[in-house]
Amino acid sequence: MAFPPFLMLPLLDQNTQEINGLSLYSLKDKKPLNLGFLENLRNPQCVGSSHPQCVGSSHGWLAFLDEKANPFLLNPFTKALIHLPPKPSKISKLILSRNPSSHPNTYAAVAMHMNFRLETNLSFCRNGDAAWRLLDGQGKTYYDVVCCSETNTLFALAPGPRVESWDLNEASPKKTMIIEGSCPRMLQLALKNFPVDLYSSQWYLALSPAGEIFMAVRYIGEFVNGDGEAVYEGDTLTDYMAAPLVCPYRTAGFRVFRVDAGRREWVDVDCLDEFALFLGGNESVMVPAAGAGLKRSAIYFTDDYWERIDEDYSYGGHDLGVFSMGDGTIETVFDFEEDKIELPPFWITLPRDEYQY
């Protein structure tokens, strides 16, 4: 059982307002944790990099890229540091199949990375490997990945939408098809509420504590005005003497689906029952809401729109909140004075044996 995730936030110098480290904010206690090691994260003597970029969190570990875009893992509680082999190519997300602290000899790191054709490939490495290896039999591109630590199995979400899996216990993992999947009806109907000329979508894969496979589709208004309405880019322009209106991208809603194992197809989900779902640059995770200070049947999300997150000096990293499955409303999860948040916030879920502060 995992404890409720923390929110990794940039730590600002009170005098200069410049970032000098990171902090972890507890949703349950509604306060930051005092972790001095993270305050020195940008110190090259600590991690070998002065400008680390976070590309994932999984099993209580944060995944970063150094200034040469080479990946490393950091456990913010134990201060353990693991350097991984040089990057396979541009990494967009990195997760772990198991917790390296408790499974040092059987965990694998899995990277989503882009090839020269702008397709997202999957590579993995194990403890002691000198290089990354492409997974056998993979398709052209993938949306998201998640691992089952109990079985050391990787699941990947591909267009279709379909789900593929690999047994990472095997020396050379072979692909297995979990679901070919026809397009869910509600996914087609969602296009009426979120037309593609105003909204983009991001796709996530998650496992419930019982091992069920879930898919969440996030709809993001490309240009959202002060009234919360998605508008066309041309509508952000005023007359030629005035500056364009600032209309940042913002999440407008989600659609959730589950794999029906018997019928091997997607079914619509309108309630997560007693669980909360955490999405973003982290490995997607579902946790029980009871006793954790979380909303039931809610999606907690952070900004992982990497294609646009740095395109404007006035916003980026800002798109985070709590989406209620029941009524479709979105609440703030943490109040920021500005829309520009560097480094972007990340969820980090800690295993029980490392939840000590």
Side-chain angles (χ1 to χ4, degrees):
M1 174 182 174
F3 281 81
F6 294 92
L7 186 61
M8 186 188 78
L9 299 170
L11 188 65
L12 300 179
D13 184 288
Q14 296 301 314
N15 296 320
T16 65
Q17 293 301 301
E18 294 183 353
I19 300 171
N20 61 8
L22 301 171
S23 64
L24 296 182
Y25 180 81
S26 169
L27 290 178
K28 182 177 180 180
D29 301 328
K30 294 184 170 49
K31 66 177 183 180
L33 304 189
N34 184 17
L35 297 174
F37 181 70
L38 282 183
E39 295 182 17
N40 296 320
L41 183 60
R42 293 169 73 89
N43 185 340
Q45 293 180 345
C46 290
V47 297
S49 175
S50 58
H51 296 87
Q53 174 191 351
C54 193
V55 291
S57 71
S58 183
H59 297 287
W61 291 71
L62 295 165
F64 289 95
L65 303 180
D66 64 19
E67 67 272 9
K68 295 182 180 179
N70 292 318
F72 63 91
L73 305 173
L74 173 69
N75 187 310
F77 275 57
T78 66
K79 304 181 183 179
L81 184 66
I82 299 175
H83 287 282
L84 299 175
K87 64 181 180 69
S89 59
K90 184 179 180 182
I91 294 177
S92 58
K93 193 170 192 175
L94 193 156
I95 68 170
L96 301 171
S97 67
R98 287 175 167 169
N99 180 4
S101 300
S102 52
H103 297 85
N105 298 319
T106 59
Y107 81 89
V110 179
M112 299 177 63
H113 56 96
M114 191 172 295
N115 63 23
F116 68 95
R117 292 186 294 270
L118 302 183
E119 299 163 342
T120 300
N121 293 154
L122 306 178
S123 291
F124 76 102
C125 68
R126 298 188 174 101
N127 187 19
D129 285 351
W132 294 83
R133 287 189 289 163
L134 283 170
L135 281 164
D136 179 71
Q138 61 181 282
K140 289 185 176 181
T141 195
Y142 292 90
Y143 297 141
D144 198 16
V145 289
V146 68
C147 286
C148 174
S149 60
E150 287 77 12
T151 60
N152 210 22
T153 302
L154 170 70
F155 297 91
L157 179 64
R162 67 180 190 273
V163 178
E164 303 169 4
S165 72
W166 288 262
D167 183 351
L168 297 177
N169 295 300
E170 299 177 354
S172 298
K174 303 295 183 182
K175 182 177 71 173
T176 299
M177 190 70 68
I178 300 299
I179 178 172
E180 294 277 3
S182 58
C183 188
R185 176 174 174 272
M186 286 302 296
L187 197 55
Q188 298 172 343
L189 293 178
L191 293 176
K192 295 181 179 180
N193 295 325
F194 306 109
V196 294
D197 55 346
L198 290 174
Y199 296 88
S200 63
S201 61
Q202 293 184 196
W203 301 54
Y204 304 88
L205 198 62
L207 299 178
S208 74
E212 293 180 301
I213 300 174
F214 284 76
M215 174 179 69
V217 183
R218 175 179 181 173
Y219 296 95
I220 303 172
E222 294 288 0
F223 301 94
V224 179
N225 63 24
D227 296 324
E229 301 172 334
V231 298
Y232 292 100
E233 184 177 8
D235 296 335
T236 68
L237 304 176
T238 57
D239 62 77
Y240 71 95
M241 294 294 292
L245 298 173
V246 177
C247 296
Y249 59 86
R250 293 191 186 279
T251 295
F254 290 84
R255 293 291 184 270
V256 180
F257 308 89
R258 175 179 56 82
V259 171
D260 183 314
R263 293 185 292 172
R264 295 178 65 87
E265 63 183 22
W266 296 106
V267 294
D268 302 329
V269 174
D270 56 15
C271 179
L272 296 175
D273 297 324
E274 71 272 22
F275 295 102
L277 176 59
F278 286 79
L279 304 177
N282 57 291
E283 181 178 18
S284 305
V285 62
M286 294 180 69
V287 299
L294 303 176
K295 293 189 65 173
R296 294 177 68 256
S297 191
I299 299 175
Y300 289 72
F301 61 92
T302 55
D303 195 341
D304 63 344
Y305 198 170
W306 308 129
E307 293 85 354
R308 296 190 58 196
I309 205 166
D310 291 321
E311 75 174 7
D312 195 284
Y313 70 91
S314 62
Y315 60 82
H318 62 284
D319 190 22
L320 68 161
V322 184
F323 174 81
S324 296
M325 292 280 291
D327 57 13
T329 59
I330 295 178
E331 303 175 5
T332 58
V333 67
F334 193 90
D335 290 327
F336 290 90
E337 293 183 2
E338 304 292 337
D339 271 344
K340 188 67 175 180
I341 306 174
E342 298 178 310
L343 306 161
F346 261 77
W347 299 117
I348 176 170
T349 304
L350 305 184
R352 176 184 289 273
D353 56 359
E354 294 179 12
Y355 189 86
Q356 299 175 359
Y357 64 95

